[in-house]
Amino acid sequence: MPKPDNELTWKDLEIGCIVTNPGSAAVYRTGDWRSQRPEYDFSRCIKCGVCQMNCPEDSVKKNELGYYEADLYHCKGCGICSRECPVWVISMKEES
Amino acid sequence: MTKRVGMEVSVAIAEAVKLADADVVAVYPITPQTHIVEHLAELVVSGELDAEYITVESEHSAMSACLGSAAAGARTYTATASQGLELMQETLYVASGMRLPIVMTVANRAVSAPLSIWGDHSDVMTVRDTGWIQIFNENGQEVVDNTICAFRIAENRNVLLPVMVHMDGFHLSHVIEPILLSDEEQVRAFLPVNNYPLPLHPSKPVAMGDFAPPFIYTEAKWAHEQALRNSKKVILEVWDAFAKEFGRQYKPVETYCAEGAKTLLFTMGSFSETAMTSIDKMRADGLDIGLVKLRLWRPFPFEELRDVVKGVDTLIVLDRALSTGGPGGPVCSEIRSAFYNLNPRPQIVSFVGGLGGRDITIEGFESIVRSGMEIAKSGSDKEFQIFGVRE
């Protein structure tokens, strides 16, 4: 069982902090940086995917019904999807 | 066969890089640059050196190209000076933080403004804390030798750090000196193949220079600190191996007539040569004086320096850079700090001189020493003395 990241000592690090399992940033929870979260009114959604194309973090995915939805583990709440949606499906709500 | 040639030092350094069989040379070829990269271009074009020669649009890009090259496992070289080193600044930290074995010659020169193309140590002092190994040299032969040693030090599995090989701009970079150029086979045998442990390769992807949140950044910096401190062991081994193979021995701290002397003059770089001649003259005149010369600037050789000043009453430190608005000589302030806990500790007198290419003559060193001894006796309310300024 590898140590949790916040228990690693300096001796555990690879030379120059090289990461030998690329893509591991996917496990990094950027969602907790969020101050606003996207909320959806799918009744208006035309499934155009503009929100997905504009997401700078690639955190918008298609759900099982074919609607586009942010993955809140990674979504930083920037609101670009809400701004770009042509049919005003997405509204940004304050995180409590 | 070792050849003895009369050669401009910059050209000789390019020959040393050829002997070291560098794979990639990434440089900004325009001013502030030296003939090193001009001659390397000739060597690559003529086929004498089989290397990729990348000309880039700035020194920032030169070092950035070196990062990629070293990360791919290539033996990587670049050279710069003064403003060029300044422009490289942020990428210098990347090279050392990512532990990439890059070798760079720096022709130490003043920094503008006012515009000066001449030599001093102002550029070096701005990159003091970049986490590179830094070696100073007194003459052309030493720069050539340490260029070769630098590759072996940098690429050593227990080091993996970039190395700056310093030489005084113009006083060394543009003068013709007699140089012993070693046999190519002998140098290649001295330099094992660069075998970077985790190179960029499609078959085994890695991520370099990644994000380090607060929970790991301190550990990363401490690992770098340990690597730089521990590199001294390898530096000493490489210098010993070099001496065995080529007959010239280098040490972190070197001395001249220092044995038993109660007063020592401290210098770095090419001025040490004039200082030695001055020491001869002063000793002939009956002055009890010796010289201590710092070769290894980083990692800083605390122990070796403390050993040298045992029994010394006065240490007169000459800096060729000014820490403006601060303690004066940046090297002297490190020396003061290194000796603070010594008991007894020598009186330390700081001089700043030789700025922007101004020479210090044999008589000049004598004047520094005599007024330094006077200050040690009578004290001074100044942090440092500036030598030779017209009031």
Side-chain angles (χ1 to χ4, degrees):
Chain A
M1 176 82 182
K3 282 184 199 172
D5 286 351
N6 58 5
E7 287 177 20
L8 292 173
T9 73
W10 67 272
K11 289 178 189 163
D12 296 321
L13 301 176
E14 292 283 1
I15 293 283
C17 274
I18 287 175
V19 177
T20 50
N21 52 335
S24 60
V27 301
Y28 189 61
R29 183 192 288 274
T30 50
D32 61 5
W33 303 7
R34 199 171 53 237
S35 59
Q36 293 186 321
R37 72 178 180 282
E39 286 199 349
Y40 300 86
D41 175 5
F42 288 128
S43 66
R44 308 156 74 104
C45 180
I46 55 173
K47 300 182 177 173
C48 66
V50 163
C51 55
Q52 186 190 40
M53 283 188 282
N54 281 284
C55 175
E57 293 295 327
D58 194 25
S59 53
V60 176
K61 301 280 180 302
K62 226 178 203 179
N63 67 19
E64 62 276 18
L65 298 172
Y67 295 114
Y68 291 92
E69 204 174 349
D71 144 28
L72 294 178
Y73 187 88
H74 294 118
C75 169
K76 297 171 181 168
C78 69
I80 290 174
C81 54
S82 164
R83 182 74 174 247
E84 296 299 326
C85 176
V87 290
W88 306 287
V89 167
I90 309 165
S91 51
M92 300 303 292
K93 290 282 175 334
E94 289 297 320
E95 289 283 7
S96 47
Chain B
M1 268 273 292
T2 299
K3 286 183 297 186
R4 190 164 190 265
V5 294
M7 203 177 254
E8 186 188 303
V9 171
S10 285
V11 174
I13 294 167
E15 290 288 334
V17 173
K18 184 191 95 176
L19 290 174
D21 197 19
D23 300 314
V24 174
V25 176
V27 290
Y28 181 65
I30 314 170
T31 205
Q33 188 52 278
T34 55
H35 297 148
I36 303 171
V37 307
E38 273 183 40
H39 190 56
L40 274 169
E42 288 166 353
L43 292 171
V44 171
V45 166
S46 68
E48 287 176 74
L49 172 61
D50 180 18
E52 284 294 325
Y53 189 93
I54 310 171
T55 51
V56 291
E57 72 280 18
S58 75
E59 286 83 356
H60 189 280
S61 304
M63 186 47 61
S64 301
C66 286
L67 299 177
S69 153
R75 178 164 290 165
T76 305
Y77 176 82
T78 189
T80 192
S82 63
Q83 311 301 129
L85 189 64
E86 301 302 307
L87 188 50
M88 257 182 203
Q89 177 97 358
E90 68 163 348
T91 44
L92 296 176
Y93 283 91
V94 181
S96 61
M98 281 166 55
R99 307 278 304 277
L100 297 172
I102 296 161
V103 172
M104 172 161 72
T105 310
V106 182
N108 311 140
R109 283 159 54 169
V111 178
S112 290
L115 179 63
S116 168
I117 58 168
W118 290 274
D120 71 20
H121 296 163
S122 304
D123 56 358
V124 191
M125 294 305 150
T126 66
V127 299
R128 184 190 67 177
D129 297 336
T130 51
W132 284 52
I133 292 169
Q134 303 193 41
I135 300 168
F136 272 84
N137 296 285
E138 265 174 58
N139 57 45
Q141 186 67 56
E142 294 187 1
V143 194
V144 165
D145 292 350
N146 275 304
T147 303
I148 292 165
C149 288
F151 285 105
R152 180 153 155 179
I153 294 166
E155 293 165 5
N156 183 292
R157 212 27 111 91
N158 297 319
V159 176
L160 296 173
L161 282 167
V163 181
M164 277 182 217
V165 182
H166 292 299
M167 68 164 159
D168 286 347
F170 291 91
H171 285 104
L172 292 187
S173 61
H174 287 62
V175 299
I176 294 172
E177 289 189 14
I179 306 265
L180 292 169
L181 278 182
S182 299
D183 176 63
E184 187 163 296
E185 292 306 312
Q186 205 184 357
V187 173
R188 303 242 161 127
F190 179 72
L191 289 177
V193 173
N194 182 17
N195 188 17
Y196 191 72
L198 286 165
L200 292 175
H201 196 278
S203 69
K204 191 170 181 264
V206 294
M208 291 179 169
D210 252 325
F211 177 57
F215 70 77
I216 204 72
Y217 189 81
T218 308
E219 282 67 24
K221 293 305 277 187
W222 190 241
H224 184 174
E225 168 70 12
Q226 295 299 322
L228 189 50
R229 277 181 188 274
N230 294 335
S231 72
K232 195 169 86 182
K233 186 169 169 284
V234 174
I235 295 167
L236 297 179
E237 283 167 13
V238 170
W239 278 339
D240 287 347
F242 186 88
K244 215 169 149 196
E245 191 63 32
F246 300 96
R248 292 180 293 280
Q249 176 77 56
Y250 296 106
K251 290 180 183 164
V253 176
E254 292 170 17
T255 55
Y256 181 72
C257 298
E259 197 71 27
K262 287 290 174 198
T263 302
L264 291 181
L265 175 64
F266 177 106
T267 52
M268 240 161 65
S270 66
F271 277 32
S272 307
E273 302 254 305
T274 318
M276 283 193 281
T277 313
S278 186
I279 296 280
D280 287 341
K281 182 170 177 292
M282 286 184 270
R283 288 179 75 92
D285 293 346
L287 220 54
D288 180 16
I289 178 86
L291 181 68
V292 50
K293 308 176 285 183
L294 190 69
R295 176 174 309 287
L296 189 62
W297 174 227
R298 284 294 184 274
F300 193 78
F302 291 96
E303 291 158 32
E304 290 84 348
L305 274 170
R306 286 175 190 142
D307 281 348
V308 162
V309 299
K310 273 192 190 129
V312 170
D313 294 336
T314 307
L315 183 67
I316 301 163
V317 181
L318 173 69
D319 264 276
R320 293 193 62 207
L322 176 60
S323 171
T324 327
V331 179
C332 189
S333 65
E334 296 212 1
I335 300 265
R336 279 184 174 134
S337 149
F339 293 170
Y340 186 74
N341 287 326
L342 284 187
N343 189 17
R345 71 166 175 256
Q347 289 262 29
I348 299 170
V349 185
S350 171
F351 277 87
V352 171
L355 299 180
R358 187 174 294 185
D359 280 329
I360 298 181
T361 59
I362 293 167
E363 294 72 26
F365 277 108
E366 189 168 351
S367 151
I368 289 173
V369 165
R370 288 190 188 274
S371 61
M373 290 167 105
E374 195 52 45
I375 289 165
K377 223 181 291 163
S378 57
S380 168
D381 55 358
K382 293 188 185 122
E383 300 289 335
F384 70 100
Q385 320 293 321
I386 185 141
F387 174 71
V389 77
R390 289 184 295 276
E391 296 282 357

